[in-house]
Amino acid sequence: MLTQIIAISLGAILTNNFIFSQFLGCCPFLGCSSKVDTATGMGLAVVFVMGLASAICWVIYTYVLVPLGLTFLNTLAFILVIAALVQFVEMFLKKSVPSLYSALGIYLPLITTNCAVLGVVLLNVQNHYNFLESVVYGVTGGLGFMLAIVLFASVRERIAFADYPESFEGFPICLVSAGLLALAFMGFSGMKIV
Amino acid sequence: MNTILLSVLVLGVLGAVFGCVLAVASRVFHVEVDPREAAVREALAGANCGGCGYPGCDGYAKAVAAGEAPCNKCVAGGAATAAKVAEIMGVSAGETERQVAFVPCSGCTDVAEARFNYTGPEDCRAAMLFGGKSNKLCTFACIGLGNCVKACQFDAMHIVNGIAQSDRTKCVGCGACVDACPKSIVQLIPESQKIMVGCRNQDKGAQVMKICKVGCIGCMKCQRECPSDAIHVENFVAKIDPSKCVQCGHCTEVCPRHIIHTLKP
């Protein structure tokens, strides 16, 4: 059991990193990574929402969709769940934890449209994970996203002062460095816990 | 058929349940926000020009509602907005004199000698990179490539005959042009001040005569003739003190170079 959990975590953070090997959530990855501060905020919000969404979607899938034989509706149902969940979490945080709310700020509502969140719940179904495994996969997937975006933001902060060809100014140099980071993460592929 | 009905039903029920939960949550987790903040934001001009010194209209509205900022900082809205904001906040507005941009240079292309024929990028900074910090022989002159025009959100700055001119009816006094001018020529003056010296050249008179047909030569005639002691020549250029000027316009008549103007409107 424990090895299974560790395997899932390592897989989600390193070998099957959501951004670098599954190419999910690339939009916030490029959009929110100009500063380490904002990248950390976005990463935290994603961890939070991915964990919660995994838990709730598992419940909906197992106790509503499977008994009624409506598993083909999972994408639709999960989108509904995620959208409602993000709204709910936003309201809850605003009232109960204003400091966290202001720290996450604009990133929380932005996550509604993050495909990595939908990706994680769909992969939970595909991999036949149980409740605990789903939540672990969600949280660690979020951590992997955070690792990637914080790493990339640090790289971008350095690139700003680097001497690179002028025609690469802006997005081109970002995409090139993102590609190099993804290549580096390929070094983890093939790692397995038996 | 059954499956279709069931799908519709399940998604409908799911949606309804989530809707109800969110509706309840919005009540339970309702957070009181200062209604004055939204009202103040509504009253502001909404140009996000930054003339108030806060990051955009939202920032200013927040500061006003929190009691940290005075009500009369919205330069784009002027006195009318200040009065509205003051009414919302329940305080008196305080006097606001409208400020407008003014370019103290009259060296249009036919009176100021050109230093070189500039054909580079349309940017004052670019023109300053060549010798002499200007495209005109007068180093104090307006370059006239329109950095202020680009900075102005209100279409109040225009290049007329090689120098920048502000349209006093459109100018709101946000000061964007003042910041944009690389030569720091543009200045904000009170709207009521109609008499201004259209030159800032600090060279001696003889030098000015060589490079500009209209520039102030510092002859001190206006200073002697001014009935209210409002004009003084400092560094070979006349300067009007708006707090003393009575707008009589006598100096505009006595100036041998006709460089003191009555601004319109």
Side-chain angles (χ1 to χ4, degrees):
Chain A
M1 186 64 198
L2 193 64
T3 40
Q4 174 74 1
I5 299 270
I6 292 174
I8 289 175
S9 319
L10 273 184
I13 296 177
L14 297 176
T15 38
N16 285 322
N17 187 292
F18 269 87
I19 288 172
F20 290 137
S21 39
Q22 313 203 37
F23 306 109
L24 288 170
C26 280
C27 168
F29 173 67
L30 291 170
C32 289
S33 57
S34 49
K35 274 193 202 143
V36 172
D37 291 353
T38 52
T40 317
M42 186 73 190
L44 279 176
V46 169
V47 172
F48 195 66
V49 172
M50 270 191 174
L52 265 178
S54 298
I56 293 179
C57 288
W58 188 87
V59 172
I60 299 262
Y61 184 79
T62 320
Y63 293 112
V64 179
L65 297 184
V66 172
L68 293 172
L70 294 174
T71 46
F72 60 87
L73 275 181
N74 57 6
T75 311
L76 208 56
F78 290 165
I79 290 178
L80 197 65
V81 171
I82 292 167
L85 178 71
V86 171
Q87 284 295 316
F88 182 81
V89 166
E90 196 188 351
M91 282 188 236
F92 176 76
L93 286 184
K94 202 171 181 182
K95 177 82 172 179
S96 316
V97 203
S99 52
L100 185 61
Y101 176 78
S102 57
L104 296 181
I106 180 90
Y107 305 114
L108 207 49
L110 276 181
I111 291 172
T112 322
T113 50
N114 186 342
C115 58
V117 180
L118 183 63
V120 84
V121 289
L122 289 175
L123 283 169
N124 282 336
V125 170
Q126 219 173 67
N127 296 339
H128 307 292
Y129 285 153
N130 64 27
F131 183 75
L132 185 65
E133 287 168 338
S134 296
V135 173
V136 168
Y137 190 57
V139 171
T140 50
L143 284 174
F145 178 91
M146 189 167 160
L147 174 73
I149 197 169
V150 169
L151 275 179
F152 188 54
S154 330
V155 170
R156 271 180 80 169
E157 279 189 355
R158 289 199 166 206
I159 285 176
F161 300 107
D163 187 22
Y164 53 83
E166 212 174 300
S167 48
F168 280 84
E169 179 82 43
F171 254 108
I173 192 74
C174 281
L175 291 173
V176 168
S177 39
L180 288 174
L181 256 179
L183 264 182
F185 263 70
M186 274 190 80
F188 292 115
S189 66
M191 264 173 47
K192 235 180 193 175
I193 292 179
V194 205
Chain B
M1 195 61 204
N2 228 348
T3 321
I4 296 176
L5 276 180
L6 201 58
S7 317
V8 173
L9 202 71
V10 165
L11 278 184
V13 169
L14 266 183
V17 168
F18 287 137
C20 291
V21 170
L22 285 182
V24 172
S26 72
R27 276 293 166 84
V28 174
F29 298 120
H30 183 67
V31 181
E32 289 291 331
V33 286
D34 195 339
R36 293 180 304 179
E37 188 182 323
V40 169
R41 176 67 186 80
E42 198 66 27
L44 297 178
N48 278 317
C49 64
C52 52
Y54 289 87
C57 298
D58 285 327
Y60 176 58
K62 208 169 180 177
V64 170
E68 289 162 2
C71 297
N72 54 7
K73 286 280 181 192
C74 182
V75 286
T81 300
K84 256 192 264 171
V85 174
E87 199 186 316
I88 294 162
M89 294 300 294
V91 293
S92 66
E95 282 299 307
T96 43
E97 160 84 87
R98 200 163 85 101
Q99 302 269 312
V100 286
F102 171 68
V103 183
C105 177
S106 310
C108 46
T109 37
D110 36 341
V111 296
E113 289 283 332
R115 186 182 294 267
F116 45 74
N117 187 14
Y118 179 77
T119 54
E122 288 282 305
D123 188 291
C124 303
R125 275 182 197 284
M128 278 172 74
L129 293 176
F130 299 96
K133 303 264 172 209
S134 178
N135 55 351
K136 290 166 183 157
L137 275 179
C138 172
T139 51
F140 297 89
C142 171
I143 295 171
L145 291 172
N147 281 25
C148 49
V149 178
K150 280 169 231 152
C152 184
Q153 293 182 39
F154 302 94
D155 190 35
M157 269 287 176
H158 299 284
I159 301 295
V160 181
N161 216 349
I163 51 166
Q165 268 182 15
S166 77
D167 182 338
R168 286 161 61 94
T169 52
K170 286 183 183 166
C171 181
V172 301
C174 69
C177 48
V178 177
D179 297 334
C181 180
K183 294 188 74 74
S184 306
I185 296 175
V186 194
Q187 48 181 247
L188 289 178
I189 58 168
E191 192 194 15
S192 58
Q193 180 62 35
K194 303 275 193 207
I195 315 286
M196 285 306 284
V197 181
C199 181
R200 60 193 277 276
N201 188 309
Q202 298 179 0
D203 292 330
K204 288 185 182 168
Q207 170 69 11
V208 179
M209 291 285 241
K210 277 186 217 156
I211 58 176
C212 182
K213 288 188 189 134
V214 294
C216 174
I217 49 175
C219 67
M220 322 263 289
K221 198 163 181 191
C222 49
Q223 181 173 332
R224 281 195 303 273
E225 296 266 348
C226 181
S228 60
D229 191 34
I231 300 194
H232 292 280
V233 175
E234 284 166 37
N235 293 326
F236 306 103
V237 61
K239 221 175 172 181
I240 296 179
D241 181 353
S243 61
K244 286 186 187 165
C245 181
V246 293
Q247 322 287 336
C248 67
H250 184 56
C251 48
T252 61
E253 287 152 22
V254 300
C255 178
R257 307 276 283 176
H258 303 295
I259 190 65
I260 308 180
H261 305 301
T262 307
L263 303 176
K264 289 169 263 178

